Amino acid sequence: MALIVQKYGGTSVGSVERIQAVAKKIKAFSEKGDQLVVSVSAMSGETNRLTEIAQEIQDVPSLREMDVLLTTGEQVTISLLSMALQQLGCDAISYTGSQVRITTDSAHGKARIKSIDDHRIHASLGAGKVVVVAGFQGVDEEGHITTLGRGGSDTTAVALAAALKADECQIYTDVDGVYTTDPRIEPNARKMNTVSYEEMLEMASLGSKVLQIRSVEFASKYKVPLRVLSSLIDNPTGTLITSEENIMEKAIISGIAHNKDEAKLSLIGVPDKPGIAFKILKPISEANIEVDMIVQSVSAREGLTNFAFTVHRNDFSKAEEILQKVCKGLDAKAVQSDDNVVKVSLVGIGMRSHAGIATQMFEILHEENVNIQMISTSEIKISVVIDAKYLELAVRSLHAAFELDKE
Ligand code: ASP
Ligand code: MG
């Protein structure tokens, strides 16, 4: 008998019919004799709807009250799913995050799970029930309700699987797995059968929206076998996210990620002396703006240099304003800003043992006449910032050149 944790996303529980279909699926699993813990999201669109109502009342709603509000979305779906299961003759019971006791820190809106009490869940499983747990939520030490950040139900499921030492954590969603690249850009994108935690982590942080980043971090830390699969087709196999050791054939490049949320800021003609990077980036980080790529160019003759970095597009205007002040303070020549850029990245654990991948990537982009504005690399990825208008061209030509469409 296996213990399986399943998670169904908002689209999969988006209507009465969908909830009933999910209940049927779960019932079939439970009839095979497996023990099932199921975590669900709110119905699709519900979290956004609640957020908009809050904003009609308060411009910047209290984070604590937002958590009380948003967690109701998942409370609706756990009860409805349990009813649908009971209706099919499958014994089920629902629990909110606080009822299970999924304890988190007190960072409302982006809380981190600290521990999960497995007593109630084990007792209910022992009584032969399917256990349905609200995703995305927990409770802090003082009993305040918290949420785990948008997309947080993925993390609930993985954390449950880790705490219960489940045999597998299955994330049911509206796509049938993790693809070599975004199929909306490259129709020849191929579903991967397996991918390593590390690669998935890079892809999630580089813009692939299949899983919440934290859920992948969690899975990697506790070695939870994690499978992404479609709730809309029968007998899906999906994509298994697992340890590198478990992957037989290691591709050099596994996938191409892209991120449209980047914006680039440059300070032109800064005096090249110690402390410059610090003085430019300190006010940026003090404003809680995260910086992604950073490039400082070699000093020109007059002892001046250029300093460029990227931020999330949401932080663009705030960062620009700060940089204008820094520009005056440091006696630099000018600020240049560009929110018309994207980041395209090659990801693959095989890169570690293969030299020359970067050169190959740059050659392909050169052949397509795509100008590279910034570059950053790690052991298993190479990212470039390019003009947004070349996004599709870059993704498609790299996908083809590295033969990602072939098994
Ligand atoms: N309902 C939450 C959201 O929309 C959590 C989730 O779906 O994972 O972000
Ligand atoms: Mg999601």
Side-chain angles (χ1 to χ4, degrees), residues 206 252-253 255-258 293 342-347 351 355-372 374-378 380-386 391 393-395 397-399 401-402:
L206 293 169
I252 299 172
I253 308 295
I256 301 171
H258 67 87
M293 283 199 209
V342 291
K343 184 166 73 171
V344 174
S345 315
L346 286 184
V347 178
M351 262 188 234
I357 299 295
T359 318
Q360 227 178 314
M361 178 185 195
F362 303 154
E363 185 181 13
I364 295 157
L365 294 174
H366 162 64
E367 276 162 10
E368 298 296 340
N369 239 326
V370 175
N371 188 36
I372 302 171
M374 292 170 120
I375 301 168
S376 83
T377 64
S378 82
I380 64 161
K381 72 126 209 272
I382 307 163
S383 301
V384 295
V385 168
I386 58 175
L391 170 66
L393 177 65
V395 168
S397 47
L398 290 167
H399 197 269
F402 284 101

Side-chain angles (χ1 to χ4, degrees), residues 7 9-10 40-43 47-48 70 74 135-136 149-154:
K7 179 252 171 178
V40 283
S41 291
M43 293 169 109
T47 310
N48 290 342
L70 295 187
E74 273 73 10
F136 172 61
R150 295 307 303 266
S153 301
D154 295 340

Side-chain angles (χ1 to χ4, degrees), residues 32-87:
K32 275 196 295 183
D34 291 339
Q35 289 191 313
L36 283 170
V37 176
V38 179
S39 174
V40 283
S41 291
M43 293 169 109
S44 54
E46 181 62 8
T47 310
N48 290 342
R49 189 183 73 87
L50 292 170
T51 306
E52 281 159 23
I53 298 177
Q55 279 163 351
E56 281 180 37
I57 295 179
Q58 226 179 354
D59 284 342
V60 186
S62 144
L63 288 176
R64 183 192 180 280
E65 300 313 323
M66 274 312 285
D67 282 354
V68 176
L69 177 69
L70 295 187
T71 47
T72 61
E74 273 73 10
Q75 192 165 336
V76 168
T77 47
I78 54 169
S79 55
L80 294 178
L81 180 59
S82 298
M83 289 176 204
L85 283 162
Q86 290 166 10
Q87 184 63 27

Side-chain angles (χ1 to χ4, degrees), residues 3 115 149 166 184 197 225 268 279 326 332 338 400 406:
L3 171 57
S115 64
R184 284 167 301 187
Y197 295 123
I268 308 297
K279 284 180 188 152
V326 173
D338 186 355
K406 302 201 178 83

Side-chain angles (χ1 to χ4, degrees), residues 16 20-21 43 53 60 87 145 203 209 228 253 255 289 303 400:
V16 169
Q20 287 166 329
M43 293 169 109
I53 298 177
V60 186
Q87 184 63 27
I145 292 176
M203 288 196 238
K209 298 205 166 60
V228 175
I253 308 295
I289 298 174

